[in-house]
Amino acid sequence: MTAYIIRRLLLIIPTLFGIILINFLVIQAAPGGPIEQLISRYTGTGVEATARVSGSDQTEIIGNRQSTNGSTLTSKYRGAQGLDPAFLRELEIMYGFDKPAHKRFLKMLGDYIRFDFGESFFRNQRVVDLVLEKLPVSISLGLWTTLLIYTISIPLGILKAIRDGSRFDFWSSSVVVVGNAIPSFLFAILLIVIFAGGRYLDWFPLRGLTSSGWEDFGYLQRVVDYFWHLALPIFSMVIGGFAGLTLLTKNSFLEEINKQYVITARAKGLTEYRVLIGHVFRNAMLIVIAGFPSAFVSILFTGALLTEIIFSLDGLGLLGFEAVVNRDYPVMFASLYFFTLLGLVMQLIGDLTYTIIDPRIDFESREV
């Protein structure tokens, strides 16, 4: 197993390099870079997402920079006609675009190897500080949502498989279908209308993870306040995410229950409990439990954007969205680097989870 782990860790290096390279090339070809974004803010044509970004140091450097002779100058940047070329050159130097693309890419790789992610173009903060600032929101949403989804879906899927075709299976399937049909963000809006002062009840807050003065609360009051703020966001994400895992669990159990070794175990006189727990559970749960690490990463970094926006939770999803819209390259590539690295490590952890659930699995005999 040690040799397999080492091979997988070494494979992370070229995989990560390839992902970063492909995305770097795509971003270079995309229109509307950070210089265009800054020019659009100056000229008043920037989109609303750009206006939401805090920090004004970059805009302050833009003065009345018109062409010295008043003529219209052509530029490779959209919206820059009439601006002084020397000023545009200053912007290129400030953002590092005075260097060729390959030199910028190599410098970025060198910095990322040292985990130096630089500073945001538009927020005047180090990228690491930005990520650490937003991380508690995304960790809270991702962790509790994933735990609740697994806690609900696995027992429910097992019961549905055992009682396949019964009334319980029928009615629970109706709930699963409804949960699968309603997007989590629509369910979030419904929860706000009913429980957060939208129209009926005003039981839950709509902003942040904690109330003002949270630092002065007692320990138990802090815990209650924390989950009070998270109740609606997490509930909306659980409703939208438990359906698929429930059906996967049920189908995995049904497939195992109908196999020959289960029939043989029953013929030997084993109790139904020992057959299900001692034989079926371990085999049926391989694909379900081993997928926990990747499911957590998926919910943590990709599944909460609309939830964060609806409930005014400033997390990594919103940070990444604004970075893409505003072409904030340091935040974009640092987030991509960090999350890709974490995802690859989680895939390895998922493989190792297989061996924990079923020691008969041996990855040493497989080619990576």
Side-chain angles (χ1 to χ4, degrees), residues 151-161 168 172 176 242 246 249:
T151 301
I152 295 171
S153 299
I154 291 178
L156 180 59
I158 293 174
L159 285 175
K160 287 176 61 63
F168 171 80
S172 60
V176 169
F242 86 103
T246 299
T249 303

Side-chain angles (χ1 to χ4, degrees), residues 147-280:
L147 289 177
L148 282 175
I149 286 176
Y150 271 76
T151 301
I152 295 171
S153 299
I154 291 178
L156 180 59
I158 293 174
L159 285 175
K160 287 176 61 63
I162 294 173
R163 303 174 64 176
D164 184 41
S166 65
R167 285 188 176 183
F168 171 80
D169 182 41
F170 173 78
W171 289 112
S172 60
S173 294
S174 301
V175 175
V176 169
V177 169
V178 172
N180 193 44
I182 301 177
S184 60
F185 71 91
L186 286 181
F187 196 77
I189 295 173
L190 177 63
L191 292 177
I192 290 175
V193 171
I194 297 176
F195 296 109
R199 186 167 183 177
Y200 300 100
L201 305 173
D202 191 8
W203 289 354
F204 296 93
L206 272 178
R207 181 177 296 276
L209 287 181
T210 56
S211 301
S212 58
W214 184 80
E215 297 80 4
D216 301 326
F217 294 171
Y219 177 76
L220 181 59
Q221 192 177 2
R222 287 186 181 186
V223 173
V224 172
D225 184 75
Y226 170 74
F227 284 106
W228 181 49
H229 281 76
L230 281 177
L232 295 187
I234 290 177
F235 188 40
S236 67
M237 294 178 66
V238 168
I239 291 297
F242 86 103
L245 186 60
T246 299
L247 294 178
L248 176 62
T249 303
K250 176 187 177 181
N251 293 334
S252 298
F253 256 77
L254 285 177
E255 183 179 355
E256 294 297 324
I257 287 174
N258 295 323
K259 287 186 177 180
Q260 184 63 43
Y261 75 90
V262 176
I263 299 175
T264 302
R266 286 171 174 162
K268 289 181 177 180
L270 295 180
T271 63
E272 191 67 15
Y273 177 83
R274 288 198 61 186
V275 171
L276 292 176
I277 302 301
H279 294 75
V280 176

Side-chain angles (χ1 to χ4, degrees), residues 14 29 61 69 71 139 228-229 239 248 282 287 323 329-330 340:
I61 69 170
N69 58 6
S71 61
I139 286 287
W228 181 49
H229 281 76
I239 291 297
L248 176 62
R282 183 175 63 181
I287 190 173
Y329 290 167
T340 302

